[in-house]
Amino acid sequence: MLHSTSLLPHNKRFVFSVRSKPFHSHSYSHSLSFSKFLSLPSSLSTCCRVARISTETLEVSPPPPDDFNFHREIARLAALRDRLAACATLVEKLRVLNADSRVKRFFSSGRGLARVLASLRLSSDQLFLLKCVVAAGQEHVLCLDGTESLESAAAAAATVSAVKSALYAIAEMIENLNSFDGNGGVGSGMALGDYEIIELNKLLQTLEEIERFYDCIGGIIGYQITVLELIVQKSFERQNIKWSHQIHEVKECQIFGINAPNGHNLSEDTEYASQAALWGIEGLPDLGEIYPLGGSADRLDLVDPNSGECLPAAMLPYCGRTLLEGLIRDLQAREFLYFKLYNKQCITPVAIMTSAAKNNHSHVTSLCERLSWFGRVVGAEEGQWLVTKPLNPLSKPGGHGVIWKLAHDKGIFKWFYSQGRKGATLRQVSNVVAATDLTLLALAGIGLRHGKKLGFASCERISGATEGINVLMEKKSLDGKWEYGVSCIEYTEFDKFGITTGPLAPKSLQAEFPANTNILYVDLPSAELIGSSKNGNSLPGMVLNTRKPIVYTDQFGKCHSVSGGRLECTMQNIADNYFSSYSSRCYNDVEDELDTFIVYNKRRRVTSSAKKKRRHGDKSLHQTPDGALLDILRNAHDLLSQCDIRLPEIEANENYVDSGPPFLILLHPALGPLWEVTKQKFYGGSISEGSELQIEVAEFFWRNVQLNGSLIIIAENVMGSMKNNESGESILHYGQRCGKCKLQNVKVFNKGIDWNCGRNIYWKHDVQRSEGLQIILHGNAEFEATDVVLQGNHVFEVPDGHILKIKPGNPGLAIQLDPIDQDMMESGSWHWNYREEGSRIQLDLVES
């Protein structure tokens, strides 16, 4: 069955270009720029004309003035924001903006674009948006084709405000606008083309969405204030912060301590882990799922081989399917486990946040439609942008922290409530191991059982990972109360707390703290309370990320790389709103009483991401699809070795830089997904080095199987069969007409994968085989092999409604194909019966 996904709203943000100088008392020089935007009414005629030339930008930014004072500019904008907030009508707001000196100068100049704007039939709403841009010191973005500016170079030096110079990211080329004919009309070559009009109208819509979405911080003006405040904060952090002080001002409180949080270790406290996972299974009808898929995944460099189109991370073909399909089948495996335990269908609603970057939203929507996921899935868009050519911004995601406000604005919380959901789990699409064993189920189980507001799944940090840390934060508020909570410090904010980056040393601050993996449990009413707040709390973890250069190609085909930053917010920092207050300071073991919590597991069972493409010559497989595959195989080794199955060890990643993995084992998650379930389906035998095992069937029995080569088992009905519901939708009905496979005392020998083939892409499961054994089960087909040796190349394809049995013959093999008895068509000739036994799950094989 497929999960309900919910589409959230379209939200855009700006990318900034940043250049800095040292502080001079309270002055800090940066060069920031909004992306260019201008929007025209849909009724605008193509006869509207403006003079232009096309001249390539020569600099990233002119030198900003040394006397620019950020604090004074923040105060000015804050006063303007407050005056606008006090207005009851749009007319009053326009009156306030018209009184602004920048707006006056721009719209009364009678020259250039200001003159064109005055001639257009712009609505009051459109004028308000444009005047907000000008008031924010960003009037340069209201230029077409990069060719028009308000003043000549000499006039600019004399009259342009300090903030305008400070905020310009691209120096505008100066153009002589004497393009009128002798009759005072508009000369030739000055028409706005239809394409430009379309693009301008798109930008107006975007600007309107930005003003509406960021209303909680004051719209466009408040957005600019936030950026300037973060720039000032970052500068002081880089120059003045010392960890030894251990006291940092944060809003209206002081941080007195940052410690590694205590939590249950699921790999050590196995009894509690099993109980917590069982709580998670029982609570599945109370849970939804949220997938933030808005990232552009530039580092993956993913391209459609047929169209050449850039693709988002969700569409990465990984182990035979897209990453998004992998998330859904992990969820289906948990639903199948719920069905097997309680004989009830459970369809989990899923909300997906997408972005416009790389047609992310379109690709995800198409995939959901193709796989009939709508009915359980809804979605949303978000993004941010940087100009690559006139009127055509390059979208870049601006942080998944917008997800809470988006969910409120688009009614996602109410949609979850309508389906009886109380909590939700969140994971990112690039993390391919998040659902391994019991991590997700235990996290959700603890959250539901103990009424927590937010939970983190964490593990140890490793060197080179661009990931934040989870912390137990201790604060003291102005009213004298002590506040405690488990939260996250993003890696871009390490400077703020004096945490050094680079390789981890044994005594470094990073080594003391666990990794933030962005695997979360959230209480939905608590999240809605934050998402619906009319202030900055609805956009948690606001940071100005200046760690990565902004790389883009302009309209002339020239690639630019500038020191840059973008305003981001982080979904996990919603935790900062859930601190618990105490009248006195707490010194020990406060975590159990908090509204936030954390659980731990081995790293490869929590996080391993396919975030970046491995480049030719790279010696590191970290965060690449290749490295993530090795962690999947390590987990398979850990699991099967506990079933008395002998198989090769997997060494460190560096040993596989120039070769493939020692084996390929890909197991469908519905075989568990809990390992204590899977282990009862496998026992004994061996898997030799260079072998391949793929099992796509949930009702499976393995006893003493020796594999040396390739064995692939594919069932059409892995967990059940598709049937139409009352609404006519095709729904997966768990447990009905499942394919089945039994292997007992079987030896499989064949040449298997051609490991010398240079075309093999192991993480895609795109490999060349010399020989192999394939078992294909159509519908509710069954396959059984007992006491036989299957040598060489074989394909056993079993039709729907039949059972194929292979036994020793005299000589060779005895192969028998029979129809399944009619009274066994739904349940099959055998099945696994699941039952609870204390905090454990016990399986019994039942013959029909």
Side-chain angles (χ1 to χ4, degrees):
M1 276 182 175
L2 299 178
H3 313 307
S4 297
T5 310
S6 197
L7 297 178
L8 308 183
H10 188 92
N11 159 43
K12 302 217 185 264
R13 268 174 302 276
F14 304 109
V15 177
F16 298 90
S17 172
V18 180
R19 292 175 63 199
S20 64
K21 288 185 176 183
F23 251 85
H24 300 291
S25 67
H26 293 292
S27 296
Y28 186 46
S29 299
H30 260 266
S31 184
L32 281 196
S33 172
F34 283 120
S35 305
K36 294 184 184 179
F37 51 90
L38 168 65
S39 304
L40 305 179
S42 58
S43 59
L44 180 63
S45 168
T46 57
C47 68
C48 177
R49 296 175 177 272
V50 59
R52 68 173 61 81
I53 60 173
S54 294
T55 307
E56 182 176 357
T57 300
L58 300 178
E59 295 185 64
V60 173
S61 171
D66 290 335
D67 61 348
F68 177 68
N69 190 305
F70 269 65
H71 297 282
R72 185 163 53 238
E73 177 62 12
I74 290 169
R76 185 193 72 81
L77 290 173
L80 176 60
R81 178 192 59 193
D82 294 344
R83 289 195 299 272
L84 289 171
C87 295
T89 66
L90 181 58
V91 172
E92 292 177 5
K93 290 183 178 181
L94 283 170
R95 190 177 299 123
V96 169
L97 287 171
N98 289 337
D100 182 82
S101 59
R102 287 195 184 86
V103 176
K104 280 183 179 179
R105 182 169 62 249
F106 182 85
F107 284 93
S108 65
S109 66
R111 306 174 55 198
L113 186 62
R115 184 190 60 220
V116 175
L117 290 175
S119 70
L120 301 177
R121 294 187 296 274
L122 295 174
S123 69
S124 296
D125 290 307
Q126 292 167 333
L127 281 172
F128 169 76
L129 297 173
L130 296 179
K131 290 180 178 182
C132 281
V133 173
V134 175
Q138 299 294 324
E139 57 266 45
H140 65 290
V141 302
L142 302 182
C143 300
L144 294 175
D145 207 22
T147 62
E148 181 179 337
S149 65
L150 296 178
E151 299 88 9
S152 66
T159 64
V160 179
S161 66
V163 68
K164 179 177 177 182
S165 297
L167 298 178
Y168 276 9
I170 299 177
E172 299 294 345
M173 301 306 297
I174 306 303
E175 176 187 356
N176 187 351
L177 297 177
N178 54 0
S179 301
F180 284 74
D181 60 27
N183 297 321
V186 181
S188 61
M190 299 172 61
L192 276 177
D194 291 341
Y195 172 79
E196 291 172 312
I197 293 173
I198 292 172
E199 292 302 310
L200 292 174
N201 278 295
K202 288 180 182 178
L203 289 169
L204 178 57
Q205 181 181 0
T206 295
L207 187 58
E208 180 183 2
E209 291 170 353
I210 292 168
E211 175 68 18
R212 181 173 60 249
F213 184 77
Y214 286 99
D215 58 354
C216 59
I217 59 174
I220 294 171
I221 300 297
Y223 185 96
Q224 181 72 359
I225 292 170
T226 302
V227 171
L228 297 178
E229 288 175 338
L230 289 171
I231 290 173
V232 173
Q233 176 184 315
K234 271 190 171 293
S235 178
F236 277 119
E237 288 163 6
R238 281 193 291 267
Q239 296 183 47
N240 300 329
I241 201 71
K242 291 185 183 298
W243 177 257
S244 58
H245 292 167
Q246 286 199 339
I247 297 178
H248 310 275
E249 298 290 344
V250 177
K251 294 184 178 179
E252 297 182 350
C253 64
Q254 290 179 320
I255 298 177
F256 270 74
I258 297 176
N259 302 292
N262 294 319
H264 288 281
N265 190 321
L266 303 178
S267 63
E268 296 176 358
D269 192 350
T270 56
E271 191 64 33
Y272 181 82
S274 296
Q275 180 62 74
L278 201 54
W279 292 335
I281 300 166
E282 293 170 351
L284 206 61
D286 294 326
L287 290 169
E289 295 238 331
I290 301 175
Y291 303 149
L293 307 186
S296 60
D298 291 333
R299 291 183 294 169
L300 274 175
D301 195 19
L302 182 60
V303 177
D304 187 309
N306 299 317
S307 67
E309 179 186 11
C310 292
L311 297 175
M315 305 306 295
L316 180 74
Y318 197 81
C319 293
R321 64 197 57 82
T322 66
L323 287 179
L324 179 55
E325 289 175 271
L327 264 63
I328 296 296
R329 88 178 201 150
D330 283 342
L331 178 53
Q332 289 177 323
R334 297 193 290 278
E335 294 172 345
F336 179 72
L337 176 58
Y338 179 85
F339 171 82
K340 295 292 285 185
L341 275 172
Y342 307 116
N343 198 31
K344 296 178 182 178
Q345 298 282 332
C346 178
I347 306 301
T348 305
V350 177
I352 296 178
M353 182 179 73
T354 66
S355 74
K358 299 181 179 178
N359 287 325
N360 186 320
H361 184 77
S362 174
H363 285 297
V364 169
T365 301
S366 297
L367 182 64
C368 290
E369 289 174 344
R370 176 167 60 84
L371 298 177
S372 303
W373 287 349
F374 285 114
R376 80 149 94 208
V377 176
V378 294
E381 283 190 271
E382 60 84 31
Q384 70 186 110
W385 46 308
L386 172 72
V387 166
T388 59
K389 58 184 178 180
L391 313 178
N392 194 343
L394 169 66
S395 292
K396 292 283 185 180
H400 37 54
V402 299
I403 200 168
W404 311 117
K405 187 175 188 298
L406 290 176
H408 167 72
D409 289 352
K410 292 300 178 179
I412 303 306
F413 289 114
K414 289 183 174 57
W415 177 73
F416 275 131
Y417 300 151
S418 70
Q419 301 185 59
R421 309 296 152 156
K422 302 175 183 177
T425 51
L426 290 84
R427 60 178 291 196
Q428 292 185 292
V429 71
S430 60
N431 184 354
V432 296
V433 301
T436 302
D437 195 11
L438 45 64
T439 301
L440 269 178
L441 283 170
L443 176 72
I446 295 169
L448 284 171
R449 185 77 172 188
H450 298 293
K452 300 290 188 178
K453 294 181 178 179
L454 189 77
F456 296 87
S458 187
C459 58
E460 70 274 16
R461 274 192 101 242
I462 62 171
S463 177
T466 54
E467 59 194 12
I469 56 175
N470 289 127
V471 299
L472 173 65
M473 198 166 286
E474 180 184 46
K475 301 179 182 179
K476 189 175 184 181
S477 60
L478 296 181
D479 62 5
K481 291 186 177 180
W482 292 86
E483 299 180 356
Y484 296 85
V486 178
S487 187
C488 167
I489 298 176
E490 195 57 35
Y491 75 97
T492 57
E493 296 295 281
F494 284 171
D495 288 346
K496 179 177 180 179
F497 299 95
I499 301 174
T500 57
T501 57
L504 295 181
K507 295 184 179 180
S508 73
L509 290 170
Q510 288 188 63
E512 297 177 9
F513 296 102
N516 175 63
T517 65
N518 284 337
I519 302 174
L520 307 175
Y521 164 81
V522 64
D523 174 70
L524 290 172
S526 299
E528 184 184 27
L529 191 63
I530 304 305
S532 62
S533 61
K534 301 300 182 181
N535 53 47
N537 288 340
S538 63
L539 300 171
M542 280 274 198
V543 297
L544 188 65
N545 186 352
T546 59
R547 293 274 176 158
K548 300 173 184 176
I550 303 299
V551 179
Y552 66 96
T553 302
D554 64 20
Q555 68 266 38
F556 307 102
K558 183 176 180 179
C559 184
H560 296 267
S561 178
V562 297
S563 296
R566 59 194 184 196
L567 187 61
E568 298 179 347
C569 47
T570 52
M571 64 181 181
Q572 65 273 16
N573 280 102
I574 193 175
D576 296 335
N577 296 281
Y578 301 141
F579 279 53
S580 301
S581 297
Y582 298 86
S583 57
S584 59
R585 192 171 190 177
C586 303
Y587 290 96
N588 295 303
D589 301 327
V590 71
E591 286 89 345
D592 288 345
E593 303 175 12
L594 302 179
D595 289 328
T596 53
F597 71 100
I598 191 168
V599 295
Y600 297 102
N601 208 336
K602 291 182 177 180
R603 184 178 177 91
R604 61 175 173 262
R605 299 181 196 172
V606 178
T607 181
S608 188
S609 296
K611 287 186 175 181
K612 60 184 180 182
K613 181 179 180 180
R614 183 188 172 197
R615 304 295 178 183
H616 180 70
D618 281 356
K619 297 301 181 182
S620 173
L621 301 182
H622 182 61
Q623 294 187 328
T624 66
D626 314 70
L629 175 64
L630 289 173
D631 281 332
I632 290 175
L633 300 181
R634 289 184 179 99
N635 286 329
H637 177 279
D638 292 347
L639 169 62
L640 296 180
S641 62
Q642 296 178 43
C643 305
D644 287 339
I645 297 174
R646 301 183 305 279
L647 64 169
E649 295 285 343
I650 300 183
E651 300 173 355
N653 284 5
E654 53 264 28
N655 294 304
Y656 304 104
V657 169
D658 299 316
S659 67
F663 54 78
L664 275 180
I665 298 178
L666 301 174
L667 306 178
H668 195 288
L671 286 163
L674 300 182
W675 284 8
E676 71 171 351
V677 171
T678 313
K679 287 189 293 185
Q680 296 177 67
K681 299 179 180 181
F682 289 82
Y683 184 79
S686 63
I687 299 174
S688 300
E689 185 168 0
S691 293
E692 173 191 23
L693 174 64
Q694 181 185 11
I695 301 178
E696 293 287 313
V697 59
E699 297 282 20
F700 181 71
F701 179 91
W702 165 301
R703 290 296 182 270
N704 299 316
V705 177
Q706 297 181 38
L707 172 61
N708 190 340
S710 178
L711 171 58
I712 299 174
I713 305 169
I714 305 291
E716 282 183 357
N717 295 351
V718 177
M719 297 169 285
S721 58
M722 303 297 292
K723 292 186 178 180
N724 290 336
N725 63 8
E726 301 81 6
S727 304
E729 297 173 317
S730 184
I731 300 295
L732 176 60
H733 284 254
Y734 291 113
Q736 295 184 2
R737 300 181 63 88
C738 292
K740 294 178 171 65
C741 181
K742 274 186 182 180
L743 303 175
Q744 187 163 357
N745 299 324
V746 174
K747 296 179 180 180
V748 177
F749 300 140
N750 55 66
K751 295 179 181 178
I753 291 175
D754 179 4
W755 294 91
N756 294 318
C757 179
R759 298 191 304 275
N760 290 344
I761 305 177
Y762 300 104
W763 57 265
K764 285 187 178 181
H765 200 206
D766 181 3
V767 296
Q768 302 300 311
R769 299 177 184 88
S770 300
E771 290 181 333
L773 169 60
Q774 292 188 57
I775 300 170
I776 302 172
L777 306 174
H778 294 279
N780 66 340
E782 300 182 20
F783 178 90
E784 293 185 12
T786 307
D787 300 326
V788 295
V789 177
L790 301 175
Q791 189 160 0
N793 200 47
H794 293 281
V795 177
F796 295 108
E797 194 164 356
V798 189
D800 184 23
H802 289 74
I803 180 170
L804 180 67
K805 295 183 179 181
I806 301 179
K807 296 180 179 180
N810 190 16
L813 301 175
I815 301 176
Q816 182 178 345
L817 178 66
D818 296 314
I820 297 174
D821 291 346
Q822 195 62 39
D823 58 352
M824 298 181 185
M825 278 294 178
E826 293 298 320
S827 61
S829 65
W830 66 274
H831 67 275
W832 287 109
N833 182 62
Y834 293 45
R835 57 185 172 84
E836 294 181 26
E837 195 170 275
S839 62
R840 302 285 180 171
I841 298 174
Q842 183 65 42
L843 270 61
D844 301 306
L845 196 149
V846 178
E847 304 278 357
S848 299

